Amino acid sequence: MAENRASEYTEGTPCWVDAQLPDLEAGKRFYGELFGWAFEDQPTGTVRASKDGDPVASLAHKTDGRLPTVWTVSFSTPDADALCARIRAVGGQVVAPPAPFGDLGRTALVTDPEGAVFSLWQPGTTAGFGRRHEPGAFAWVQLYTRDTDTANAFYGDLFHDALFGEGADPDFGRAPVSEVFAPEMPPHLLVHFAVRELEPALERVTRLGGRIQVPPFDTSYGTAAVVTDNQGASFALLRR
């Protein structure tokens, strides 16, 4: 996590992203060349990725092969226990209850009513990204859902200030799965990283052993393409 002020993140603001990977060294090679990230092992057992000296993401070793190889977004909250209770009350589930993550903060793993997985982050000594909204850093997260009405009600209730409050400038959108993916794709949250130009970035993805899952398409928040890394974790590249 980046060492920023917690006040920078209203409850419900995307504040961190992490990838669970079977091979951390392969992940370092892929993302280091794709985004220009540098890496530092952390006492928590994770690897922190930085861009020009500022933290932007983390990689973790996937200890159970049955778990998905995936990027997960964390939303900020001042009180993870209270937010977990609210999530349960409105149809979501708590997969892993709030627990300390060193002195950095507390984290929990939860789902929305359709099963899309995300994390909560209650800041301790760290609050979130050191960089975002620039090439090689987090830019957006999109929920792909089968029921946009339910999703809007769920997230709108939980994260009202971040989505609709005074001066809100959300990094989080919702869309039907069928807009981009096959109808059988499970609901999920897709992390987007900013790039200066899509075509050179897509060429690097394929050269590094990844693949293009969905070619470039226009959205209300920019032009995106969905890709997978060399271990199967999906994410999107975004040019604005």
Side-chain angles (χ1 to χ4, degrees):
M1 294 283 176
E3 297 180 351
N4 323 16
R5 297 186 307 275
S7 60
E8 293 182 7
Y9 293 102
T10 303
E11 183 166 61
T13 302
C15 65
W16 195 248
V17 290
D18 64 271
Q20 297 284 328
L21 303 173
D23 186 337
L24 283 181
E25 293 304 315
K28 289 179 186 179
R29 291 191 294 271
F30 181 91
Y31 291 103
E33 189 163 345
L34 179 61
F35 293 135
W37 289 353
F39 300 95
E40 181 182 359
D41 292 341
Q42 298 297 295
T44 55
T46 61
V47 175
R48 184 172 68 181
S50 61
K51 177 75 173 175
D52 299 327
D54 293 317
V56 292
S58 59
L59 310 180
H61 176 62
K62 186 174 71 169
T63 57
D64 187 337
R66 295 170 296 181
L67 296 174
T69 301
V70 66
W71 278 98
T72 302
V73 62
S74 293
F75 293 93
S76 186
T77 177
D79 188 336
D81 293 292
L83 186 52
C84 282
R86 291 168 54 205
I87 285 170
R88 289 190 187 100
V90 291
Q93 297 184 30
V94 177
V95 178
F101 196 72
D103 64 352
L104 303 179
R106 299 177 75 230
T107 183
L109 189 67
V110 300
T111 77
D112 68 15
E114 287 195 290
V117 176
F118 59 98
S119 290
L120 308 178
W121 180 254
Q122 178 182 326
T125 59
T126 62
F129 299 113
R131 289 176 182 262
R132 54 181 174 165
H133 306 154
E134 61 182 73
F138 170 84
W140 187 264
V141 61
Q142 187 78 347
L143 170 69
Y144 286 101
T145 175
R146 292 199 180 92
D147 186 342
T148 52
D149 289 340
T150 295
N152 287 338
F154 177 83
Y155 292 99
D157 175 66
L158 292 180
F159 302 150
H160 182 273
D161 288 349
L163 294 173
F164 308 115
E166 184 177 354
D169 186 14
D171 295 328
F172 176 30
R174 280 112 13 242
V177 166
S178 56
E179 273 195 9
V180 174
F181 300 100
E184 59 270 18
M185 173 70 76
H188 63 285
L189 289 116
L190 183 67
V191 172
H192 292 53
F193 295 103
V195 294
R196 286 188 175 85
E197 296 294 339
L198 275 174
E199 290 305 324
L202 291 172
E203 290 173 4
R204 288 197 300 275
V205 166
T206 56
R207 176 170 53 80
L208 293 167
R211 67 182 182 88
I212 299 170
Q213 190 174 2
V214 181
F217 59 97
D218 292 330
T219 75
S220 60
Y221 50 89
T223 302
V226 184
V227 300
T228 63
D229 68 15
N230 56 344
Q231 300 181 69
S234 294
F235 61 98
L237 303 174
L238 180 66
R239 179 177 60 78
R240 284 176 151 162

